[in-house]
Amino acid sequence: MKTKLSILTLAVITLFSWAFVGCNSPKPYRTCEGIIWSTTYHVTYASNALLDDSIRTVMQQVDHSVSAFNPRSIISAINRNDTSAVADTILRRVFEESIRINRFSHGAFDPTVGPLVDLWGFGPSNATHSDSIQAPSKAAIDSVLMLVGMADCELLSDGHVRKKHPGTQFNFSAIAKGYACDLVAAMLERNGVENYMVEIGGEINVKGESQMGQQWRVMIDAPIPSTDSIIHTGTAIIRLTDDGVATSGNYRNFHKTDVGTVGHTISPVTGHPVTTRVLSVTILAPDCITADALATACMVMPMDSARAMLNDIPEAAGLFVTTDSDGLWELHPTRGFPLLER
């Protein structure tokens, strides 16, 4: 009996030892990549479990909720004035954050600006952006401006949305990718992942360490104009952990009109493309949904106003890229932005 008990005890101790070693051994880093919303995504995460299907499921849930390009999404139904459409938790979060950043930016961030974007030839029905087009008339702009105004919209307690006008259209493209990054990150953490980088179309959420055992290194793209390809040349590198990162700029989406070359950032106040010496803005915030919305707002606002707004948000920081008179890039970090590595 003693011999059998000793053997059993030894087996239990051995099994426990293997379990202990397994729990403390480094988890392999995995990569999940693909295409969604006409852009690419790359997710790197350390986990013993393969979570690729769960990652894609989260993005599909976001698409079903807030994609204006999915005719079956909830927001598309709301845009059609379908009274049976009710906001789910994803749409509720995106809507509420949009209202918050709209107020912070004094209206610069406005997801109802879509009809103006269409009017200037940057909507989904316009396949090319390099051909010359005729700028819309003042009358056409004024007519569409009557439909624009996030501040005049409301998410009711029962989940229904009260729009400014029946013709008001919501397009959350400037915030949805950021929130998708956050939701994928939250799913990874629920599954015990402590080290990850989630990147969707340039918006990023990072936590923990990279495969090198260091903070994640994020390259800030140089604002090189290009309409037919994406050119990845870095202006600087920053080291991050536990941050959301988003970059916005006009250098990859512009076209010529009879009033000159214009970018896709349209002011919801004037109805015209924004003219600014700022080429791009990179924002850091505790979550990517906030960084994504703030980056868009900063591209709409004058740089001094945008920097002042960021100073009023202690948890956010930004990097503005401009050009000098010789066409050289100038980098303008705000307070709290990480040290730049060249």
Side-chain angles (χ1 to χ4, degrees):
M1 179 66 91
K2 287 184 179 179
T3 301
K4 291 183 178 179
L5 183 59
S6 298
I7 293 174
L8 179 60
T9 302
L10 180 61
V12 171
I13 291 174
T14 302
L15 181 61
F16 177 79
S17 299
W18 276 107
F20 182 80
V21 171
C23 289
N24 288 272
S25 61
K27 296 178 180 179
Y29 277 80
R30 305 175 183 273
T31 300
C32 177
E33 300 177 338
I35 297 176
I36 192 168
W37 304 313
S38 301
T39 190
T40 59
Y41 66 85
H42 303 82
V43 182
T44 301
Y45 61 100
S47 174
N48 289 325
L50 186 63
L51 300 171
D52 292 14
D53 287 345
S54 296
I55 290 170
R56 297 186 183 98
T57 295
V58 170
M59 289 188 286
Q60 289 167 0
Q61 289 169 343
V62 175
D63 184 78
H64 175 73
S65 176
V66 295
S67 174
F69 301 96
N70 178 355
R72 298 183 178 181
S73 71
I74 297 173
I75 199 60
S76 291
I78 291 172
N79 284 341
R80 294 192 298 267
N81 299 309
D82 183 345
T83 57
S84 67
V86 177
D88 61 0
T89 56
I90 294 175
L91 177 53
R92 183 175 292 277
R93 176 74 174 97
V94 167
F95 197 100
E96 290 173 348
E97 183 67 6
S98 295
I99 290 290
R100 188 175 80 93
I101 302 303
N102 178 268
R103 291 171 179 164
F104 263 120
S105 64
H106 302 288
F109 178 75
D110 195 320
T112 68
V113 77
L116 285 171
V117 175
D118 292 339
L119 192 64
W120 281 93
F122 292 102
S125 60
N126 298 275
T128 61
H129 303 304
S130 57
D131 296 336
S132 181
I133 68 164
Q134 178 134 6
S137 66
K138 182 179 183 303
I141 293 172
D142 290 344
S143 176
V144 172
L145 270 173
M146 295 176 62
L147 310 178
V148 175
M150 189 69 189
D152 297 316
C153 301
E154 182 183 5
L155 178 60
L156 304 178
S157 59
D158 63 0
H160 286 89
V161 173
R162 182 183 61 79
K163 301 200 293 185
K164 176 183 179 180
H165 184 279
T168 298
Q169 301 285 296
F170 297 100
N171 187 329
F172 292 109
S173 297
I175 191 172
K177 291 196 301 293
Y179 191 41
C181 289
D182 294 339
L183 289 176
V184 170
M187 180 278 297
L188 293 175
E189 292 187 28
R190 288 195 302 271
N191 284 275
V193 178
E194 298 177 346
N195 303 297
Y196 58 76
M197 174 186 282
V198 180
E199 182 265 327
I200 304 175
E203 323 308 351
I204 300 172
N205 190 312
V206 296
K207 185 177 182 179
E209 298 177 339
S210 70
Q211 301 95 315
M212 305 300 293
Q214 302 174 343
Q215 287 185 312
W216 295 93
R217 299 172 77 247
V218 175
M219 183 181 75
I220 298 175
D221 274 354
I224 300 175
S226 176
T227 59
D228 56 1
S229 64
I230 296 178
I231 303 173
H232 287 297
T233 299
T235 56
I237 291 174
I238 54 177
R239 295 178 183 269
L240 300 171
T241 189
D242 301 334
D243 281 301
V245 189
T247 297
S248 183
N250 276 324
Y251 54 95
R252 286 184 185 148
N253 198 355
F254 58 89
H255 59 214
K256 297 177 181 179
T257 73
D258 53 332
V259 296
T261 300
V262 298
H264 76 286
T265 303
I266 311 297
S267 168
V269 178
T270 67
H272 288 263
V274 173
T275 301
T276 175
R277 68 190 187 99
V278 176
L279 299 177
S280 71
V281 182
T282 297
I283 299 294
L284 305 186
D287 48 31
C288 199
I289 187 174
T290 300
D292 202 2
L294 285 175
T296 298
C298 287
M299 281 303 301
V300 175
M301 305 169 70
M303 188 171 73
D304 290 345
S305 299
R307 289 174 64 91
M309 176 185 66
L310 293 179
N311 287 335
D312 289 336
I313 307 175
E315 66 273 19
L319 176 69
F320 295 78
V321 181
T322 64
T323 54
D324 61 16
S325 57
D326 296 321
L328 300 176
W329 296 321
E330 295 182 327
L331 308 183
H332 309 270
T334 66
R335 181 187 64 231
F337 200 85
L339 181 68
L340 299 172
E341 301 177 11
R342 300 301 179 95

